[in-house]
Amino acid sequence: MSQAKQSAISGSTSTRLISPARNVLGSLRLPGDKSISHRYAMLAGFAEGASHLSNFSSGADPHSTLACMEQLGARVEHKDDGRIAVTGCAGGFQEPKAALDCGNSGSTMRMLAGLLAAQPFASTLVGDESLTRRPMERIRAPLTAMGAHVTLTDGHAPVTIHGGPLRGVDYQTPIASAQVKTCLLFAGLQASGITQVHESVHTRDHGELALRAFGAHLARSKNSVGIQGGQHLHAIDATVPGDMSSAAFFLCAAALFPNANLVLDGVGMNPTRASLLDVLRMLGVQLNVLQLSEQHSELVGTLQVLGTPGGLVGAEISGALSAQLIDELPVLAAIAPYTQKGIRIRDAGELRVKESDRIALVAENLRAMGANVEEFEDGLDVPGGQPMHGAEIDAGGDHRIAMAFAVAALRANGDTQIHGAESAAISFPEFFDFLDRIAER
Ligand code: S3P
């Protein structure tokens, strides 16, 4: 096990020193997508038969999901060739003997709740301090409408689910959330009748694609998706595409240099996850998609970034784009001072209820590096044309903050210390080693 992953699990903290770089060069193959790994792990644990998953995420979060699936009776084997074999419970989980520990993972807690809501036993989902602060009413309300009995403490975990027969619902999600949509589709799979989920923004559709891969039929129209209950899932063999949200850190690192040349192989290019590429092009980054293929309806491609010869321009990110880029906003904001016109982010209030309050923490750390930034309830204004200096960064236990500021540090004057660097292992234990490989000093 890597040192970073070990410390993320044991709770110890570590500091990483990031020196400025002269350029970004090289090629990388990224570990499997976190969102897809969670969904494949859950559905493989629920389906009938043995699924074989290659390039499964190395992040601690999807491994929390695998551990929960084992507690629910699935068999999980780590093969010598790196594949993970999951033998599922054919639709009937075992009653867990203890609380299901979701660690830092909101995806595990919210999506697994959907599978558990129809199971004929009570189960409790718990998480770490950060996860225990995150809102869970967003799943309690619709699951209750389907007939489940779900209790929370003040709107938060522990989440106790008294499962039982469910009925389909017609539900408009009040907040754009792929986790909530997936939770309801997982519950709807086991409900009587049809469950319809309508959303105002077409959020990432890995839940829909994964359900189809495991054999379910779904009906999709524009921003609505419906599933008929009572369908059975069968095991699959699948390769998880590389994680676009992890790729984002290196894409943004390469974007900081006029003559960068970075190739990323096997990156998941699902259109609901690829808006970052449009924003980078808008900022003036030269970017090519070299190859495209499809695996279980997920697009996979090779990306080449050839730097930003004219310098980064500036961007405005709001509306649906903010929801689709939600995990990439911290790194975009962290490099915004190096743009000419700055980056304005709005309609991103959800950032305040992620693993940390990402709006507050991005603003605090940008200021520590000497930048001016204005904070809004639902976003940030980061003016451009601001050189930054090395500083002490507090990652606040949040993996994406640790990685975002390691990228910003590449163009700063002087060294930067990232405190709480071990949190990167939540989604990307290899991050700092990979960054060292591509940063020319
Ligand atoms: C995820 C959806 C997003 C994202 C999270 C993973 C998913 O959360 O921030 O990292 O896998 O569905 P919300 O759906 O709550 O916005």
Coordinates of all heavy atoms in Angstrom, one line a residue, residues 30-62:
L30 N -4.0 7.2 -16.4 CA -4.6 7.5 -15.1 C -5.4 6.4 -14.5 O -5.9 5.6 -15.2 CB -5.5 8.7 -15.2 CG -4.8 10.0 -15.6 CD1 -5.8 11.1 -16.1 CD2 -3.9 10.5 -14.5
P31 N -5.4 6.2 -13.2 CA -6.2 5.2 -12.5 C -7.7 5.4 -12.8 O -8.1 6.5 -13.2 CB -5.9 5.4 -11.0 CG -4.8 6.3 -10.9 CD -4.7 7.1 -12.2
G32 N -8.5 4.4 -12.6 CA -9.9 4.4 -13.0 C -10.7 5.4 -12.3 O -10.4 5.9 -11.2
D33 N -11.7 5.8 -13.1 CA -12.6 6.9 -12.6 C -13.3 6.5 -11.3 O -13.8 5.4 -11.1 CB -13.7 7.1 -13.7 CG -14.6 8.2 -13.4 OD1 -14.3 9.3 -13.7 OD2 -15.7 7.9 -12.9
K34 N -13.4 7.5 -10.4 CA -14.0 7.2 -9.1 C -15.5 7.0 -9.2 O -16.0 6.1 -8.6 CB -13.7 8.5 -8.2 CG -14.2 8.4 -6.8 CD -13.5 9.4 -5.9 CE -14.1 10.8 -5.9 NZ -15.4 10.9 -5.3
S35 N -16.2 7.8 -9.9 CA -17.6 7.7 -10.0 C -18.0 6.4 -10.6 O -19.0 5.7 -10.2 CB -18.2 8.8 -10.9 OG -18.0 10.1 -10.3
I36 N -17.3 6.0 -11.7 CA -17.6 4.7 -12.4 C -17.3 3.5 -11.5 O -18.0 2.5 -11.3 CB -17.0 4.6 -13.7 CG1 -17.4 5.7 -14.6 CG2 -17.2 3.2 -14.4 CD1 -16.7 5.8 -16.0
S37 N -16.1 3.6 -10.8 CA -15.7 2.5 -9.9 C -16.7 2.3 -8.8 O -17.1 1.1 -8.5 CB -14.3 2.8 -9.2 OG -13.3 2.9 -10.2
H38 N -17.3 3.3 -8.2 CA -18.3 3.2 -7.1 C -19.5 2.4 -7.7 O -20.0 1.5 -7.1 CB -18.8 4.5 -6.7 CG -18.0 5.3 -5.7 ND1 -17.7 4.8 -4.5 CD2 -17.4 6.5 -5.8 CE1 -17.0 5.7 -3.8 NE2 -16.8 6.7 -4.6
R39 N -19.9 2.8 -8.9 CA -21.2 2.3 -9.4 C -20.9 0.8 -9.9 O -21.8 0.0 -9.6 CB -21.7 3.1 -10.6 CG -22.3 4.4 -10.1 CD -22.3 5.5 -11.2 NE -23.0 6.7 -10.9 CZ -22.5 7.7 -10.2 NH1 -21.2 7.7 -9.8 NH2 -23.2 8.8 -10.0
Y40 N -19.8 0.5 -10.5 CA -19.5 -0.9 -10.9 C -19.4 -1.7 -9.6 O -19.9 -2.9 -9.6 CB -18.2 -0.9 -11.7 CG -18.3 -0.5 -13.2 CD1 -19.5 -0.1 -13.7 CD2 -17.2 -0.6 -14.0 CE1 -19.6 0.3 -15.1 CE2 -17.3 -0.2 -15.3 CZ -18.5 0.3 -15.9 OH -18.6 0.6 -17.2
A41 N -18.7 -1.2 -8.6 CA -18.6 -2.0 -7.4 C -19.9 -2.3 -6.7 O -20.2 -3.5 -6.3 CB -17.7 -1.3 -6.3
M42 N -20.8 -1.3 -6.7 CA -22.1 -1.6 -6.1 C -23.0 -2.5 -6.9 O -23.6 -3.4 -6.4 CB -22.9 -0.2 -5.9 CG -22.3 0.6 -4.8 SD -23.2 2.1 -4.6 CE -22.0 3.1 -3.8
L43 N -23.0 -2.3 -8.2 CA -23.9 -3.1 -9.0 C -23.3 -4.5 -9.2 O -24.0 -5.5 -9.2 CB -24.1 -2.5 -10.4 CG -24.9 -1.2 -10.4 CD1 -25.1 -0.6 -11.8 CD2 -26.2 -1.3 -9.6
A44 N -22.0 -4.7 -9.2 CA -21.4 -6.0 -9.2 C -21.7 -6.8 -7.9 O -22.0 -8.0 -7.9 CB -19.8 -5.9 -9.4
G45 N -21.7 -6.1 -6.8 CA -22.1 -6.7 -5.5 C -23.5 -7.0 -5.4 O -23.9 -7.9 -4.7
F46 N -24.3 -6.4 -6.2 CA -25.8 -6.6 -6.2 C -26.2 -7.7 -7.2 O -27.2 -8.4 -7.0 CB -26.5 -5.3 -6.5 CG -28.0 -5.3 -6.3 CD1 -28.6 -5.3 -5.1 CD2 -28.8 -5.3 -7.4 CE1 -29.9 -5.3 -4.9 CE2 -30.2 -5.3 -7.3 CZ -30.7 -5.3 -6.1
A47 N -25.5 -7.7 -8.3 CA -25.8 -8.6 -9.5 C -25.6 -10.1 -9.2 O -25.1 -10.4 -8.1 CB -25.0 -8.2 -10.7
E48 N -26.1 -10.9 -10.1 CA -25.8 -12.3 -10.0 C -24.5 -12.7 -10.7 O -24.4 -12.3 -11.9 CB -27.0 -13.1 -10.6 CG -26.8 -14.6 -10.5 CD -28.1 -15.3 -10.7 OE1 -29.1 -14.8 -11.0 OE2 -28.0 -16.6 -10.4
G49 N -23.6 -13.4 -10.1 CA -22.4 -13.9 -10.8 C -21.2 -13.1 -10.4 O -21.3 -12.2 -9.6
A50 N -20.1 -13.5 -11.0 CA -18.8 -12.8 -10.7 C -18.4 -11.8 -11.8 O -18.3 -12.2 -12.9 CB -17.7 -13.9 -10.6
S51 N -18.2 -10.5 -11.4 CA -17.8 -9.5 -12.3 C -16.3 -9.3 -12.1 O -15.8 -9.5 -11.0 CB -18.5 -8.1 -11.9 OG -19.8 -8.2 -12.2
H52 N -15.6 -8.9 -13.2 CA -14.2 -8.7 -13.1 C -13.9 -7.3 -13.6 O -14.3 -6.9 -14.7 CB -13.4 -9.7 -14.0 CG -13.5 -11.1 -13.6 ND1 -14.5 -11.9 -14.0 CD2 -12.8 -11.7 -12.6 CE1 -14.4 -13.1 -13.3 NE2 -13.4 -13.0 -12.5
L53 N -13.3 -6.5 -12.7 CA -13.2 -5.0 -12.9 C -11.7 -4.7 -13.1 O -10.9 -5.0 -12.1 CB -13.8 -4.2 -11.8 CG -15.3 -4.6 -11.5 CD1 -15.8 -3.8 -10.3 CD2 -16.2 -4.3 -12.7
S54 N -11.3 -4.2 -14.2 CA -9.9 -3.8 -14.4 C -9.8 -2.3 -14.3 O -10.8 -1.5 -14.5 CB -9.4 -4.1 -15.9 OG -9.6 -5.5 -16.1
N55 N -8.6 -1.8 -13.9 CA -8.3 -0.4 -13.7 C -9.3 0.2 -12.8 O -9.7 1.4 -12.9 CB -8.3 0.4 -15.1 CG -7.5 1.7 -15.0 OD1 -6.5 1.8 -14.3 ND2 -8.1 2.7 -15.6
F56 N -9.7 -0.5 -11.7 CA -10.5 0.0 -10.7 C -9.8 1.2 -10.0 O -8.6 1.1 -9.9 CB -10.9 -1.1 -9.7 CG -11.9 -0.8 -8.7 CD1 -13.3 -0.9 -9.1 CD2 -11.6 -0.3 -7.4 CE1 -14.3 -0.6 -8.2 CE2 -12.7 0.0 -6.5 CZ -14.0 -0.2 -6.9
S57 N -10.5 2.2 -9.6 CA -9.9 3.4 -8.9 C -9.0 2.9 -7.8 O -9.4 2.0 -7.0 CB -11.0 4.3 -8.4 OG -10.4 5.2 -7.5
S58 N -7.9 3.6 -7.6 CA -7.0 3.3 -6.5 C -7.3 4.2 -5.3 O -6.7 4.1 -4.3 CB -5.5 3.5 -7.0 OG -5.4 4.8 -7.6
G59 N -8.3 5.0 -5.4 CA -8.6 6.0 -4.4 C -9.3 5.2 -3.2 O -9.9 4.2 -3.3
A60 N -9.1 5.8 -2.0 CA -9.7 5.2 -0.8 C -11.2 5.1 -0.8 O -11.8 4.2 -0.3 CB -9.2 6.0 0.4
D61 N -11.8 6.1 -1.5 CA -13.3 6.2 -1.5 C -14.0 4.9 -2.1 O -14.8 4.3 -1.5 CB -13.8 7.4 -2.2 CG -14.0 8.6 -1.3 OD1 -13.6 8.5 -0.1 OD2 -14.5 9.7 -1.8
P62 N -13.6 4.6 -3.4 CA -14.2 3.4 -4.0 C -13.9 2.1 -3.2 O -14.6 1.1 -3.2 CB -13.6 3.4 -5.4 CG -13.3 4.8 -5.7 CD -12.8 5.3 -4.4

